[in-house]
Amino acid sequence: MVAKNLKIDVSKWHDYSERPTTRWEHFKELYEFFDLTPFTTVLRERVTEYLTELATRTDKGIELARDMVIWLCQEGVLVSSISVIERVCIKSLTAGRKRVY
């Protein structure tokens, strides 16, 4: 369907997926178009610290995950995969427990 709309040969679609640079170029354009920021290491540390503070008041991972998604949206950051959200929440819960104890 996409090839038809772009008026290109369907066999070229495989070539597109083989070129990783194209994907990153398109990501960059999408970030600019939607005024979003990618989830970087610096942002991961900031949200982890934010969630660690919350984790001193709750041990419910789902609440931290919800608050992380809200925080990312408020900061204009593209929401990460569920596995990344899970790892950040686990790290924050562990750090929050250490602060409490």
Side-chain angles (χ1 to χ4, degrees), residues 30-68:
L30 287 170
Y31 289 138
E32 290 173 8
F33 183 80
F34 290 111
D35 196 28
L36 292 172
T37 304
F39 189 66
T40 63
T41 305
V42 172
L43 289 169
R44 186 184 69 222
E45 293 305 317
R46 282 182 51 209
V47 75
T48 300
E49 184 57 36
Y50 170 75
L51 292 176
T52 298
E53 184 59 36
L54 295 176
T56 62
R57 298 187 298 273
T58 186
D59 62 351
K60 293 180 174 48
I62 192 69
E63 289 182 17
L64 295 182
R66 183 199 65 223
D67 287 343
M68 178 177 174

Side-chain angles (χ1 to χ4, degrees), residues 1-19:
M1 182 179 83
V2 173
K4 182 180 175 183
N5 286 330
L6 294 175
K7 296 180 176 82
I8 60 172
D9 183 13
V10 176
S11 65
K12 300 292 183 194
W13 190 251
H14 180 72
D15 295 338
Y16 170 80
S17 65
E18 292 293 315
R19 185 173 175 261

